[in-house]
Structure formats: C-alpha cells, structure tokens
Amino acid sequence: MEQKLWSISELADECGVTTRTIRFYEDKGLLQPQRVGANRVYNYQDKARLILILRGKRLGFSLEDIGEFLALYHAECDPAHASQLRYLLDKVQAKVKVLRQQQEDLAQTLQELTRIETECLSHLPDSEMPT
Amino acid sequence: MEQKLWSISELADECGVTTRTIRFYEDKGLLQPQRVGANRVYNYQDKARLILILRGKRLGFSLEDIGEFLALYHAECDPAHASQLRYLLDKVQAKVKVLRQQQEDLAQTLQELTRIETECLSHLPDSEMPT
DNA sequence: GAACTGCTTAACGTTAACGTCAAATGCCTG
DNA sequence: CAGGCATTTGACGTTAACGTTAAGCAGTTC
C-alpha cells in the first residue's frame, strides 16, 4: 500500500492556503517535507501537521506557540527524561487555561450575538420564515 | 447617585492594558471618552466597551471586526430602517459561524491536550497527588 | 520656584505573518 | 528546440497592533 503524496500547490489547494504560506511554515521549522530533486513532496503526516497548524491559527495561537504545541505530540512518545516532561506538562496546562478562558468568552459572545440576531429578525418582515 | 469615573491610567490598570493601547483604540474610533480640559475621563459605559473589546481580542478578532461588532449593540436599539438591519444580521450570522467553527476547534484541541496531560502525568513520579 | 507626577499629541520603531515580485531551473509538449 | 508551466530561492513590501521616545502643558508639593 503506497502512501499518497502531494506537491506543494496540491497541498495548498486542499488546505486552502497559498504555497507561500507553506514555504513560510517550513522556514519556521513547522514542516519538513521530503524532496525529490529540489521539489518538495508532502505525505499524509505532513498534511496532518499542516491541518493542526491551521487549527491552531484559527484559535489565535502564534506560529511559535504552535511549534511548541506540535513538539508535544512527539515528546509524548518519548518518555525518556522526566524533567522535559515536566516542562511540557507546564506548557500544556498553561494552554489549557487559555483555552478554557476562550471557551467562556466564546459562550458569552455567542449568546449575545444570537440575542441580537433574534432581535433583528423580529424587526424585519418575516421573509426569513422557512417555506 | 453619581457615576464612577476613571482616568486613563486607572482604567488601564483595572483592565490590564497600557494607556497607549487605550489611546490607540480611541484613534480607531472604538472609544470616545469625555474630556475635562484636555484629559480623558471614562465612565462605566466606556469601561464596558473596553471590556468587550478585550474579549473580542481574546477571541482573535481584528479591531476592525470589533468595531462593527460594537456597532451592533447600538444599531439594535434603533430599528429604523430594515436594510441596515439586514446588513447587520448578515454580519452577525457570519460571525456566529466563525465562532461555532472555533468552538469545534477548541473542543478538539482541549481533548488532545488533556490526553497528553494525563499521559505526561502517568510517566512522572506521583508528586502531583494532592496531599 | 524647582521638582515631580500625570497627562497630552506627534512621530518613528517593531514584530508577526505573510504577499509580491524577480530570476533561474527542470520537465513536458507540439 | 521553442514555448509553457510548476517549481525553486531570495529579497523587498505590507498590514495590524501596538511600543517607545520626545517635547510640552497643568497641578501640587517641598
């Protein structure tokens, strides 16, 4: 069973980014595709990494944060020395805290927005009714 | 019952931002405090606005987005012409969509992070036990 | 009245995250 | 083999969101 592979522009299309963005992420050390000659070639793992990066971005993380975050996935498989694990654990717990705050913010904002939405609708002619 | 008022640095302290930031938001039209002489004076509504702005920021919105968002709170009170309401409704619905995507991202990420967290803990000496 | 504190405007600097060229290379096709 | 397309590296440009510095005014404190 051979692995599916992507060129840079194929990957860019499928993930909704530009090739420039992908190369930029590589410059930052977030991606390390294989090469065929000079050309970059991406496998499924590379694609999964990119998708993780984009999710991180949607959540407002910096690329630097995302870099550390990606490192966690690997470090987890290598429970070699506890001091490093301790460090990673601290990082994770800090991020969990940020995300929980964000969840709260999000819930509040959504509530207010939907309230405004129904307010709007109640003032409009009822062209919004599903037939 | 007199309203409580804040100087720019008091407000900055209470909200955890710099005075530069507050002035910057004013430049962008997000805040319009009263003046006493040349000095800015903030009332409770101003403070509430700032808090809303900061929440928007934590959610990764641009200041421009936040500006439109703040406008919704006022427009809602003025159901004058429906065309404007329609426009606002579209904006709100688009933002609700973004936020729901974000909620999904968040839930997934939190799940993965806490999984990694327990993995880490299971490999560490049990110095984490509550006494 | 000199120093200190807090405020003002104005202007320039900075960082992240790309966009936008430019010039060169490799491969395929007619 | 000329033309066209995808790719490469490299360099400079851009935008948002402030930071930082400068220069000056107002009040009050020793």
Side-chain angles (χ1 to χ4, degrees):
Chain A
M1 188 104 157
E2 314 208 341
Q3 273 207 56
K4 184 168 181 194
L5 299 175
W6 290 264
S7 78
I8 189 167
S9 53
E10 287 167 350
L11 187 64
D13 280 356
E14 287 197 24
C15 293
V17 298
T18 68
T19 60
R20 175 69 178 96
T21 298
I22 293 180
R23 290 198 197 93
F24 183 73
Y25 291 166
E26 185 175 336
D27 276 358
K28 296 288 162 180
L30 300 181
L31 293 172
Q32 290 121 21
Q34 293 175 257
R35 298 278 184 147
V36 172
N39 289 19
R40 296 167 173 84
V41 172
Y42 301 86
N43 60 24
Y44 189 76
Q45 283 86 343
D46 295 324
K47 189 179 177 186
R49 264 180 96 86
L50 179 53
I51 289 176
L52 272 179
I53 295 171
L54 297 178
R55 199 168 77 201
K57 288 229 60 188
R58 285 197 300 270
L59 288 173
F61 285 113
S62 71
L63 292 184
E64 199 182 338
D65 283 343
I66 292 172
E68 294 181 0
F69 180 78
L70 284 173
L72 300 184
Y73 282 94
H74 294 283
E76 168 199 21
C77 310
D78 159 44
H81 15 22
S83 80
Q84 199 167 358
L85 271 185
R86 255 268 102 259
Y87 173 76
L88 294 178
L89 180 57
D90 286 352
K91 287 272 178 189
V92 170
Q93 287 175 338
K95 287 190 181 177
V96 166
K97 205 170 162 189
V98 170
L99 290 181
R100 291 210 190 287
Q101 165 74 49
Q102 213 163 328
Q103 263 186 333
E104 244 186 74
D105 290 338
L106 227 164
Q108 274 195 48
T109 305
L110 265 176
Q111 192 179 334
E112 288 165 17
L113 280 181
T114 52
R115 202 208 67 223
I116 293 178
E117 186 178 347
T118 53
E119 276 292 314
C120 279
L121 284 175
S122 77
H123 287 303
L124 280 176
D126 25 50
S127 51
E128 307 303 327
M129 296 291 187
T131 49
Chain B
M1 188 104 156
E2 313 208 340
Q3 273 207 55
K4 185 168 180 193
L5 299 174
W6 290 265
S7 78
I8 190 168
S9 52
E10 287 168 350
L11 187 64
D13 280 355
E14 288 198 23
C15 293
V17 297
T18 68
T19 59
R20 175 68 177 97
T21 298
I22 294 180
R23 290 198 196 94
F24 183 73
Y25 291 165
E26 184 174 338
D27 277 358
K28 295 289 162 179
L30 300 181
L31 294 171
Q32 290 121 20
Q34 292 175 258
R35 299 276 185 149
V36 172
N39 289 18
R40 295 167 173 85
V41 172
Y42 300 85
N43 60 25
Y44 190 77
Q45 283 86 344
D46 295 323
K47 189 179 176 185
R49 264 180 96 86
L50 178 54
I51 289 175
L52 272 179
I53 294 171
L54 297 178
R55 201 169 75 203
K57 289 230 60 190
R58 284 196 301 271
L59 289 174
F61 286 112
S62 71
L63 293 183
E64 198 182 339
D65 283 342
I66 293 172
E68 293 181 1
F69 180 79
L70 284 172
L72 300 183
Y73 282 94
H74 294 283
E76 168 200 23
C77 311
D78 160 40
H81 16 22
S83 80
Q84 198 165 358
L85 271 186
R86 234 331 34 284
Y87 172 76
L88 294 178
L89 180 57
D90 287 351
K91 287 272 180 190
V92 169
Q93 287 176 337
K95 288 190 179 176
V96 166
K97 206 170 161 190
V98 170
L99 290 181
R100 291 209 190 286
Q101 164 74 49
Q102 214 163 325
Q103 263 186 334
E104 246 186 71
D105 290 338
L106 227 164
Q108 275 195 47
T109 305
L110 266 176
Q111 193 180 331
E112 288 166 16
L113 280 181
T114 52
R115 202 208 67 222
I116 294 178
E117 187 178 345
T118 52
E119 276 292 314
C120 280
L121 284 175
S122 76
H123 288 301
L124 280 175
D126 25 52
S127 52
E128 307 302 327
M129 298 291 189
T131 50

